[in-house]
Amino acid sequence: MTTPTGTARPPRPDIQRAFAHLTPLAPQAGASPEAQLIAARAFVDRYGDVEPRGALRGVDVTPMNIGECQAEWLVPRNARKGDRLVYLHGGGWFAGGLESHRPLASVVAELTGCATLLVAYRLAPEAPFPAAVEDCVAALSWATDNGPEGRAPARSLLLAGDSAGANLAAAVCLLAIGAGRRTPDRLAMICAPLDGAPNPSRGTRPDIVAGNGELERAMAAYVQGQAPIDDPRISPLKADEGLLARFPPTLLQASGAEYLLWDSQAFAGRLIDAGVRTSLSVWPAMPHVWHAFLDLLPEARQALAEIAAFLTPGR
């Protein structure tokens, strides 16, 4: 970050605190694969919790199962009947779930006024590709015809996800379009990895959470040779233009400081070229998925408010 004169300006104390919180939580090199996986999952579960997490307020939580994965409806007091949002959590395809993302998804539910289905898809390495994609496809299909009040068609159907969940959201859209099923009315993707292969276009931004090494290890654990890395279900950036042209209006958010910024920029460019209404929103100096720092960074709720305004225009 620089001032107009070009002099380096230190980040705000709260931003420094967010990065300081993340640094010791990241799994350490040299540990066994089992220990690294345990540490990584614990890291994601408390990703944004600089302070102890408070009680959840403002939504009613209803646990459920969809096929082989757990899920829960987060229903805000201001929910509009028939308006549904499916939220796919991040965590590198091997971590995260209901516990890690309930606070973030609950804020999204309140801001949009939508019953929000938070999906705990199966995780790698125990369940490699395409298990997570299959679970997310099933969840979106289920939410098309079922809400927290029971079986009924969705009036509006929205889709959002962060990090690996944003990758899965793009893959779900591609598969729904290809199969002729109902696609989301709108899509929001937060800090998405959209190319599974190493790509020098990403540059060399240091990123302790989702840098080059972290992405390669996560992809290896997720894919396990089950498909080529350029399969669009893994690398949505490689999708056919004809499928991309049928995407819903899409918002991509990314930090200007993160390694994966290029992915959002490149995917937004492809959507724009395909004629899709696309918004790319870049937030300077933030950590990867800063939205999780709800009680520390004002930009967390501001970014979620931007998502809600995009997903529910004219509310």
Side-chain angles (χ1 to χ4, degrees):
M1 184 183 301
T2 59
T3 65
T5 61
T7 305
R9 184 173 66 197
R12 296 189 326 244
D14 56 346
I15 298 175
Q16 289 180 317
R17 192 176 181 199
F19 279 105
H21 165 74
L22 293 174
T23 302
L25 292 179
Q28 300 300 306
S32 69
E34 295 79 10
Q36 286 193 339
L37 182 61
I38 291 169
R41 287 175 171 170
F43 168 64
V44 172
D45 280 346
R46 289 294 179 263
Y47 185 83
D49 297 347
V50 176
E51 301 291 347
R53 186 181 295 183
L56 190 68
R57 296 185 176 88
V59 298
D60 294 324
V61 181
T62 303
M64 55 174 302
N65 290 293
I66 302 172
E68 296 186 63
C69 72
Q70 294 181 313
E72 59 188 26
W73 280 111
L74 304 171
V75 183
R77 309 289 191 265
N78 62 337
R80 299 181 307 280
K81 189 173 181 179
D83 290 355
R84 297 170 198 156
L85 188 154
V86 176
Y87 193 92
L88 307 179
H89 69 81
W93 304 277
F94 59 81
L98 305 179
E99 178 70 17
S100 65
H101 280 68
R102 190 178 295 118
L104 191 161
S106 295
V107 173
V108 174
E110 288 189 273
L111 290 173
T112 59
C114 292
T116 296
L117 185 67
L118 178 59
V119 182
Y121 51 84
R122 286 171 289 169
L123 298 176
E126 296 91 343
F129 175 87
V133 178
E134 292 172 347
D135 288 349
C136 294
V137 167
L140 184 71
S141 178
W142 191 89
T144 302
D145 298 315
N146 299 271
E149 68 282 352
R151 186 167 179 82
R155 182 175 66 176
S156 67
L157 183 66
L158 309 170
L159 180 61
D162 68 273
S163 197
N167 168 283
L168 292 167
V172 166
C173 279
L174 289 169
L175 290 168
I177 292 166
R181 294 191 297 267
R182 179 172 176 178
T183 57
D185 301 320
R186 295 204 168 204
L187 169 65
M189 296 192 289
I190 299 169
C191 304
L194 294 164
D195 187 354
N199 195 315
S201 296
R202 290 189 176 108
T204 57
R205 287 181 179 83
D207 192 327
I208 61 172
V209 176
N212 178 53
E214 289 77 15
L215 181 60
E216 288 190 18
R217 287 190 291 272
M219 272 289 169
Y222 173 48
V223 178
Q224 296 184 38
Q226 299 299 308
I229 203 71
D230 61 355
D231 185 316
R233 296 172 297 168
I234 298 166
S235 299
L237 190 60
K238 308 295 187 183
D240 180 78
E241 184 175 354
L243 293 176
L244 292 178
R246 295 163 61 189
F247 256 55
T250 299
L251 168 66
L252 300 101
Q253 290 181 335
S255 167
E258 70 176 323
Y259 176 71
L260 293 174
L261 171 62
W262 176 85
D263 293 55
S264 292
Q265 293 172 322
F267 198 73
R270 288 214 63 199
L271 290 178
I272 291 167
D273 288 345
V276 176
R277 179 181 169 186
T278 306
S279 297
L280 173 64
S281 180
V282 180
W283 295 63
M286 293 292 105
H288 179 69
V289 192
W290 67 95
H291 311 60
F293 291 88
L294 291 165
D295 297 322
L296 179 66
L297 300 176
E299 288 89 349
R301 293 180 185 272
Q302 291 165 6
L304 293 177
E306 180 180 66
I307 289 171
F310 181 84
L311 292 176
T312 54
R315 235 200 94 199

